[in-house]
Amino acid sequence: MVRAAVLPAVGAPLEITDIALPEPGPGQVRIRLAAAGVCHSDLSLTNGTMRVPVPAVLGHEGAGTVVSVGEGVTHVAPGDGAVLNWAPSCGQCHHCLLGEVWLCASALSGVGAVHARTADGTPLHPGLNVAAFAEETVVAANCVLPAPDGIPLTDAALLGCAVLTGYGAVHHSARVREGETVVVFGIGGVGLAVLQSARIAGASTVVAVDVSPEKEELARAAGATDYLVASATTAKDVRRLTGGHGADVAVECVGRAVTIRTAWESTRRGGRTTVVGIGGKDQQVTFNALELFHWGRTLSGCVYGNCDPARDLPVIAEHVRAGRFDLGALVTERITLDGIPAAFDTMVAGRGGRALIVF
């Protein structure tokens, strides 16, 4: 039995309880978690914005130590450090064969499996594949990436979602070039990773935008050259800070229609707007045909930073070891499993960066 955070039903409060976790079968790995990040996507699972089978053990951003492996697993062994990959690619579907592994058709095929059971025998599903809100988890072998050398596992947990997403949004989706101007909407864990990545890319002006004035210090420490509290004049303010043109690149990390629209309006003519935030179906964004022609902007979605974790994790790790990327700067609160509901409340209130569960 291990302690875990269980979502019994959409809209229901999380239950911190003991679950019965099986030993790994063929092609599986058992991980003892060192840390797990509390991501907005976990909140989206609780309120139904994203749908997975329930009841489920939530959590998808984590790292830990391999406890045991099932038959056929050779790339990790007991005692190894591991980073969890919540969206593993199959390597065989249409998108994988195109090299777009972040769009793999089978990435979430494991969410319907029976992961564990409650004390009364109720089957539990693995949230977004890896069920990281638990002391230990059992995952498919392709959900396990060897942890990079020289990075503590508690920090490495952030690599599994926030950092890959933020780094990839800058380097793969928006393709920020040295000297360009960037505006980032939403300064949570992913937004902070975007700011650091924009700095690494050599952006000249980096504008951070958030509803909370208290996040300015966090944003500037991550690389923001300017900070704006979101308002009705945000797009105009961004243009003022970027020579009157608007930003070369806008990255939206909120997932709200009004924020996406403002990000678009903050982008210069011919610039790129990348949407990282996951919004609900009710968040409708409208454009007229003339403005699409006139502004010539590119609007694109961004899934998991358009990253290939096996390729990108070593690159990001080198930035971390060289001191260019500060993983600890994303974390504003370290909590236990019991602190997850309060961390969700903090997220809804728009406060802080990443909450990190430390086991």
Side-chain angles (χ1 to χ4, degrees):
M1 304 291 285
V2 301
R3 278 173 57 78
V6 174
L7 177 67
V10 172
L14 280 185
E15 297 177 356
I16 313 300
T17 186
D18 289 334
I19 64 170
L21 190 68
E23 290 302 312
Q28 291 184 321
V29 180
R30 185 169 181 137
I31 305 286
R32 180 179 300 114
L33 273 298
V38 182
C39 179
H40 200 278
S41 296
D42 300 307
L43 179 62
S44 294
L45 294 177
T46 69
N47 61 29
T49 299
M50 296 171 63
R51 292 279 185 173
V52 294
V54 290
V57 179
L58 298 188
H60 64 280
E61 177 184 87
T65 303
V66 176
V67 175
S68 55
V69 301
E71 182 183 350
V73 177
T74 59
H75 72 296
V76 291
D80 289 349
V83 174
L84 296 176
N85 174 16
W86 63 271
S89 56
C90 69
Q92 299 175 344
C93 71
H94 178 71
H95 288 290
C96 284
L97 293 176
L98 289 174
E100 299 170 346
V101 298
W102 54 92
L103 299 177
C104 176
S106 301
L108 294 180
S109 61
V111 300
V114 174
H115 170 72
R117 295 183 183 275
T118 62
D120 65 5
T122 302
L124 298 170
H125 303 289
L128 290 178
N129 278 328
V130 296
F133 286 174
E135 295 169 329
E136 296 188 11
T137 187
V138 173
V139 300
N142 62 354
C143 290
V144 178
L145 297 165
D149 293 335
I151 300 176
L153 288 175
T154 48
D155 289 342
L158 300 164
L159 296 171
C161 184
V163 177
L164 276 169
T165 299
Y167 178 88
V170 168
H171 291 271
H172 301 319
S173 180
R175 299 175 186 261
V176 175
R177 299 182 288 265
E178 186 172 359
E180 289 193 312
T181 57
V182 177
V183 56
V184 182
F185 290 82
I187 312 304
V190 173
L192 289 168
V194 171
L195 290 173
Q196 292 204 47
S197 300
R199 185 191 63 216
I200 289 170
S204 59
T205 298
V206 181
V207 184
V209 181
D210 198 275
V211 295
S212 172
E214 288 78 20
K215 291 188 181 181
E216 180 171 0
E217 185 178 348
L218 274 175
R220 289 189 181 276
T225 59
D226 299 274
Y227 189 84
L228 296 173
V229 177
S231 72
T233 64
T234 294
K236 181 187 294 185
D237 295 336
V238 172
R239 288 194 293 274
R240 174 176 53 81
L241 293 169
T242 54
H245 305 292
D248 296 302
V249 169
V251 182
E252 198 273 359
C253 303
V254 181
R256 295 182 63 233
V258 64
T259 317
I260 294 169
R261 180 71 211 194
T262 304
W264 166 266
E265 292 174 357
S266 301
T267 308
R268 69 164 174 85
R269 194 177 188 190
R272 290 103 66 202
T273 305
T274 290
V275 179
V276 176
I278 301 173
K281 293 179 180 179
D282 61 324
Q283 296 295 312
Q284 298 291 316
V285 189
T286 59
F287 308 91
N288 67 60
L290 182 59
E291 70 175 311
L292 292 173
F293 162 77
H294 173 75
W295 290 103
R297 298 165 175 146
T298 300
L299 176 68
S300 61
C302 179
V303 178
Y304 205 4
N306 293 10
C307 273
D308 178 348
R311 174 199 65 199
D312 292 308
L313 202 60
V315 175
I316 297 171
E318 185 53 38
H319 286 305
V320 174
R321 288 189 290 263
R324 292 184 291 269
F325 201 111
D326 183 0
L327 293 173
L330 274 62
V331 179
T332 53
E333 187 178 18
R334 295 176 186 268
I335 62 174
T336 65
L337 278 174
D338 297 287
I340 297 174
F344 281 163
D345 291 340
T346 298
M347 194 181 299
V348 171
R351 301 192 304 268
R354 203 45 136 215
L356 187 68
I357 305 159
V358 179
F359 294 92

